[in-house]
Amino acid sequence: MKAPPRSEVPNISPKQLPEADGFLFGFPARYGNMSAQFKAFLDATGSLWNKQALAGKPASFFFATASQGSGQEETAFTSIPQLVHHGMLYVPIGYTFGAGMFEMEK
């Protein structure tokens, strides 16, 4: 999407995922789906699925959208199957951030 690289954010490869105890994935939502870049990252985890290397690990998502009606809930629904195929445990964050979760200035 032509965003400049951010040197302060480490890059990981799908092969490193089994080292983690759990996951909190954040990505932009596109029309109720995860971004193509993140989908490609998860598509590269086929060998981990084959070994069931991520089974039983807790995982959740957070999303960035351009407006409040940009498909946040639908993005969760379309992203959960990625976790389910790996046997990961979906842990929803829920609406627990008070009025600040509706802030659109930042």
Side-chain angles (χ1 to χ4, degrees):
M1 299 289 175
K2 300 182 180 165
R6 297 180 62 183
S7 61
E8 72 276 7
V9 178
N11 289 322
I12 65 165
S13 73
K15 292 179 182 181
Q16 293 173 281
L17 292 176
E19 299 171 20
D21 294 328
F23 308 99
L24 181 57
F25 296 117
F27 46 84
R30 301 278 191 262
Y31 305 108
N33 291 287
M34 64 180 64
S35 65
Q37 295 88 339
F38 192 70
K39 178 70 166 74
F41 179 84
L42 290 178
D43 284 347
T45 62
S47 63
L48 299 176
W49 170 82
N50 191 39
K51 298 175 196 169
Q52 297 185 351
L54 304 178
K57 292 184 182 272
S60 194
F61 304 110
F62 65 93
F63 317 105
T65 58
S67 69
Q68 292 177 354
S70 295
Q72 294 94 332
E73 293 87 356
E74 188 64 25
T75 302
F77 289 137
T78 60
S79 301
I80 291 170
Q82 303 292 325
L83 306 180
V84 172
H85 278 88
H86 279 288
M88 289 188 268
L89 307 172
Y90 176 59
V91 181
I93 295 173
Y95 290 99
T96 58
F97 301 101
M101 71 182 165
F102 300 110
E103 191 174 303
M104 298 299 292
E105 287 77 36
K106 297 178 184 176

